[in-house]
Each structure stands twice: as C-alpha cells, then as structure tokens.
Amino acid sequence: MSVDYTLHSLLAFWSVILGVACGFVYEFFRLLHRLHPRAYWLILLEDLFFGSICTAGMMLLFFNLSFGRMRFYAFPGVLLGFILWYFTLGRAFRQVCLRVSNAVSPPVRYLHRYFRTCGGTFRISLRAEEGFGAKRFIKRSSKNDSSKNRPGG
C-alpha cells in the first residue's frame, strides 16, 4: 500500500484556496451586517449560513481529495488562507467598499430624506382632507346636539 503524496499536496493547496474563498464570502456577510447592525437574530442567521457554506466547502474538499478522510493539516490550511485573504486582498477590498460607500452615501441620504419628506407631506395632506380628525368629532357632537333639540324631548 503506497501513499499518494500528490493528493496530500493537492489537499493542502486547495485548503488554502478554500480559506481564501471563505474570506471572500465573509466580506459580503460583513457588508450585510453593516446594513442591519442591531438585528441580532438576522446576524445570527447569516453567521449560521456562512458556517454552513464553510462546512460544505470542507466536506467537498475532504470527499474529493482524501476519500472522505479528514486530514488535520487541511484545517490550518483553511485558516492560513482566511488569514492571507483578511490581511492582504481583504484589506484592499474593504478599502474599496468604504470608498464606494462614502461616494454613494450622500446622494442616497439626500434621496431618502427627499422621499421621506414627500411621504410626510402626502400623509399630512390626507389628514387635512379628513379635517385632522375634526370631522368625526363634529359629526358625533352634531348627532348628540340634534337629539337634544327635538321637540318633546
């Protein structure tokens, strides 16, 4: 029985590549976390989904390159790939995302305020047509007054 070292080296190489891919996917989840920083239940679901993506990647790696046997050196390889992504390309990716966010944020903020103001104006105009609730009060009080003014009452 001979040991095929090419499969071991391929597993080590692809585990580093998987770590880089997991780091890339994690950046998108970080962006999603920034969209809703206080929705803890949603962040939990996203983290569970990210964990399942990484688990599926590891399972595919082990089933395809080591015949289903878990090799310990693949885990540090994935960690090494993730660290390489995080401190090199991931840092550049975050800087680009930050610059895009800073460029897009003022127009988006302006549009948000504009539409919010338009919506508020629309709601006020609808309430003005209703008399800001005074029509109902006038109708109720006029019914009560008309029963008092009936002859024989």
PDB file of all heavy atoms in Angstrom, residues 81-93:
ATOM      1  N   GLY A  81      -5.355  30.360   4.704  1.00  0.00           N
ATOM      2  CA  GLY A  81      -5.942  31.033   3.542  1.00  0.00           C
ATOM      3  C   GLY A  81      -6.850  32.177   3.953  1.00  0.00           C
ATOM      4  O   GLY A  81      -6.833  33.256   3.345  1.00  0.00           O
ATOM      5  N   PHE A  82      -7.627  31.955   5.011  1.00  0.00           N
ATOM      6  CA  PHE A  82      -8.512  33.009   5.504  1.00  0.00           C
ATOM      7  C   PHE A  82      -7.701  34.194   6.011  1.00  0.00           C
ATOM      8  O   PHE A  82      -8.020  35.353   5.718  1.00  0.00           O
ATOM      9  CB  PHE A  82      -9.405  32.465   6.618  1.00  0.00           C
ATOM     10  CG  PHE A  82     -10.520  33.385   7.017  1.00  0.00           C
ATOM     11  CD1 PHE A  82     -11.739  33.332   6.369  1.00  0.00           C
ATOM     12  CD2 PHE A  82     -10.352  34.308   8.030  1.00  0.00           C
ATOM     13  CE1 PHE A  82     -12.779  34.174   6.716  1.00  0.00           C
ATOM     14  CE2 PHE A  82     -11.378  35.160   8.394  1.00  0.00           C
ATOM     15  CZ  PHE A  82     -12.594  35.094   7.732  1.00  0.00           C
ATOM     16  N   ILE A  83      -6.631  33.932   6.745  1.00  0.00           N
ATOM     17  CA  ILE A  83      -5.774  35.000   7.259  1.00  0.00           C
ATOM     18  C   ILE A  83      -5.082  35.731   6.117  1.00  0.00           C
ATOM     19  O   ILE A  83      -4.971  36.966   6.128  1.00  0.00           O
ATOM     20  CB  ILE A  83      -4.763  34.429   8.277  1.00  0.00           C
ATOM     21  CG1 ILE A  83      -5.500  34.033   9.554  1.00  0.00           C
ATOM     22  CG2 ILE A  83      -3.655  35.420   8.585  1.00  0.00           C
ATOM     23  CD1 ILE A  83      -4.645  33.280  10.537  1.00  0.00           C
ATOM     24  N   LEU A  84      -4.607  34.978   5.123  1.00  0.00           N
ATOM     25  CA  LEU A  84      -3.994  35.627   3.955  1.00  0.00           C
ATOM     26  C   LEU A  84      -4.982  36.566   3.266  1.00  0.00           C
ATOM     27  O   LEU A  84      -4.621  37.684   2.882  1.00  0.00           O
ATOM     28  CB  LEU A  84      -3.499  34.569   2.960  1.00  0.00           C
ATOM     29  CG  LEU A  84      -2.208  33.855   3.316  1.00  0.00           C
ATOM     30  CD1 LEU A  84      -1.936  32.738   2.317  1.00  0.00           C
ATOM     31  CD2 LEU A  84      -1.051  34.836   3.341  1.00  0.00           C
ATOM     32  N   TRP A  85      -6.219  36.111   3.103  1.00  0.00           N
ATOM     33  CA  TRP A  85      -7.225  36.976   2.483  1.00  0.00           C
ATOM     34  C   TRP A  85      -7.490  38.205   3.344  1.00  0.00           C
ATOM     35  O   TRP A  85      -7.517  39.321   2.859  1.00  0.00           O
ATOM     36  CB  TRP A  85      -8.537  36.226   2.252  1.00  0.00           C
ATOM     37  CG  TRP A  85      -9.648  37.180   1.923  1.00  0.00           C
ATOM     38  CD1 TRP A  85     -10.552  37.710   2.785  1.00  0.00           C
ATOM     39  CD2 TRP A  85      -9.934  37.761   0.657  1.00  0.00           C
ATOM     40  NE1 TRP A  85     -11.388  38.576   2.134  1.00  0.00           N
ATOM     41  CE2 TRP A  85     -11.026  38.624   0.821  1.00  0.00           C
ATOM     42  CE3 TRP A  85      -9.368  37.634  -0.607  1.00  0.00           C
ATOM     43  CZ2 TRP A  85     -11.564  39.349  -0.221  1.00  0.00           C
ATOM     44  CZ3 TRP A  85      -9.909  38.359  -1.647  1.00  0.00           C
ATOM     45  CH2 TRP A  85     -10.995  39.207  -1.448  1.00  0.00           C
ATOM     46  N   TYR A  86      -7.681  37.979   4.624  1.00  0.00           N
ATOM     47  CA  TYR A  86      -8.101  39.056   5.523  1.00  0.00           C
ATOM     48  C   TYR A  86      -7.075  40.189   5.585  1.00  0.00           C
ATOM     49  O   TYR A  86      -7.444  41.353   5.600  1.00  0.00           O
ATOM     50  CB  TYR A  86      -8.342  38.486   6.921  1.00  0.00           C
ATOM     51  CG  TYR A  86      -8.976  39.465   7.869  1.00  0.00           C
ATOM     52  CD1 TYR A  86     -10.344  39.683   7.839  1.00  0.00           C
ATOM     53  CD2 TYR A  86      -8.215  40.183   8.769  1.00  0.00           C
ATOM     54  CE1 TYR A  86     -10.941  40.587   8.698  1.00  0.00           C
ATOM     55  CE2 TYR A  86      -8.796  41.093   9.637  1.00  0.00           C
ATOM     56  CZ  TYR A  86     -10.162  41.289   9.591  1.00  0.00           C
ATOM     57  OH  TYR A  86     -10.744  42.185  10.432  1.00  0.00           O
ATOM     58  N   PHE A  87      -5.799  39.844   5.617  1.00  0.00           N
ATOM     59  CA  PHE A  87      -4.776  40.868   5.797  1.00  0.00           C
ATOM     60  C   PHE A  87      -4.163  41.374   4.490  1.00  0.00           C
ATOM     61  O   PHE A  87      -3.360  42.305   4.525  1.00  0.00           O
ATOM     62  CB  PHE A  87      -3.670  40.361   6.724  1.00  0.00           C
ATOM     63  CG  PHE A  87      -4.122  40.246   8.136  1.00  0.00           C
ATOM     64  CD1 PHE A  87      -4.286  39.006   8.734  1.00  0.00           C
ATOM     65  CD2 PHE A  87      -4.414  41.375   8.877  1.00  0.00           C
ATOM     66  CE1 PHE A  87      -4.715  38.902  10.038  1.00  0.00           C
ATOM     67  CE2 PHE A  87      -4.849  41.287  10.189  1.00  0.00           C
ATOM     68  CZ  PHE A  87      -4.999  40.041  10.766  1.00  0.00           C
ATOM     69  N   THR A  88      -4.516  40.810   3.345  1.00  0.00           N
ATOM     70  CA  THR A  88      -3.957  41.299   2.078  1.00  0.00           C
ATOM     71  C   THR A  88      -5.071  41.811   1.177  1.00  0.00           C
ATOM     72  O   THR A  88      -5.386  42.989   1.182  1.00  0.00           O
ATOM     73  CB  THR A  88      -3.150  40.197   1.379  1.00  0.00           C
ATOM     74  OG1 THR A  88      -3.983  39.055   1.189  1.00  0.00           O
ATOM     75  CG2 THR A  88      -1.921  39.818   2.182  1.00  0.00           C
ATOM     76  N   LEU A  89      -5.659  40.932   0.407  1.00  0.00           N
ATOM     77  CA  LEU A  89      -6.702  41.335  -0.540  1.00  0.00           C
ATOM     78  C   LEU A  89      -7.972  41.787   0.162  1.00  0.00           C
ATOM     79  O   LEU A  89      -8.673  42.667  -0.329  1.00  0.00           O
ATOM     80  CB  LEU A  89      -7.023  40.177  -1.498  1.00  0.00           C
ATOM     81  CG  LEU A  89      -5.896  39.772  -2.435  1.00  0.00           C
ATOM     82  CD1 LEU A  89      -6.284  38.519  -3.200  1.00  0.00           C
ATOM     83  CD2 LEU A  89      -5.559  40.894  -3.382  1.00  0.00           C
ATOM     84  N   GLY A  90      -8.256  41.198   1.306  1.00  0.00           N
ATOM     85  CA  GLY A  90      -9.445  41.594   2.058  1.00  0.00           C
ATOM     86  C   GLY A  90      -9.362  43.033   2.535  1.00  0.00           C
ATOM     87  O   GLY A  90     -10.352  43.764   2.509  1.00  0.00           O
ATOM     88  N   ARG A  91      -8.187  43.455   2.947  1.00  0.00           N
ATOM     89  CA  ARG A  91      -7.996  44.841   3.384  1.00  0.00           C
ATOM     90  C   ARG A  91      -8.231  45.795   2.209  1.00  0.00           C
ATOM     91  O   ARG A  91      -8.901  46.817   2.360  1.00  0.00           O
ATOM     92  CB  ARG A  91      -6.597  45.022   3.948  1.00  0.00           C
ATOM     93  CG  ARG A  91      -6.352  46.416   4.471  1.00  0.00           C
ATOM     94  CD  ARG A  91      -5.032  46.507   5.145  1.00  0.00           C
ATOM     95  NE  ARG A  91      -5.141  45.842   6.445  1.00  0.00           N
ATOM     96  CZ  ARG A  91      -4.133  45.641   7.263  1.00  0.00           C
ATOM     97  NH1 ARG A  91      -2.927  46.034   6.924  1.00  0.00           N
ATOM     98  NH2 ARG A  91      -4.306  45.053   8.425  1.00  0.00           N
ATOM     99  N   ALA A  92      -7.695  45.450   1.049  1.00  0.00           N
ATOM    100  CA  ALA A  92      -7.920  46.284  -0.145  1.00  0.00           C
ATOM    101  C   ALA A  92      -9.397  46.282  -0.535  1.00  0.00           C
ATOM    102  O   ALA A  92      -9.952  47.323  -0.916  1.00  0.00           O
ATOM    103  CB  ALA A  92      -7.065  45.781  -1.303  1.00  0.00           C
ATOM    104  N   PHE A  93     -10.041  45.129  -0.441  1.00  0.00           N
ATOM    105  CA  PHE A  93     -11.466  45.024  -0.762  1.00  0.00           C
ATOM    106  C   PHE A  93     -12.299  45.899   0.175  1.00  0.00           C
ATOM    107  O   PHE A  93     -13.219  46.597  -0.259  1.00  0.00           O
ATOM    108  CB  PHE A  93     -11.900  43.558  -0.657  1.00  0.00           C
ATOM    109  CG  PHE A  93     -13.322  43.310  -1.040  1.00  0.00           C
ATOM    110  CD1 PHE A  93     -13.703  43.236  -2.361  1.00  0.00           C
ATOM    111  CD2 PHE A  93     -14.287  43.137  -0.061  1.00  0.00           C
ATOM    112  CE1 PHE A  93     -15.006  43.000  -2.710  1.00  0.00           C
ATOM    113  CE2 PHE A  93     -15.603  42.901  -0.390  1.00  0.00           C
ATOM    114  CZ  PHE A  93     -15.963  42.829  -1.730  1.00  0.00           C
TER     115      PHE A  93
END
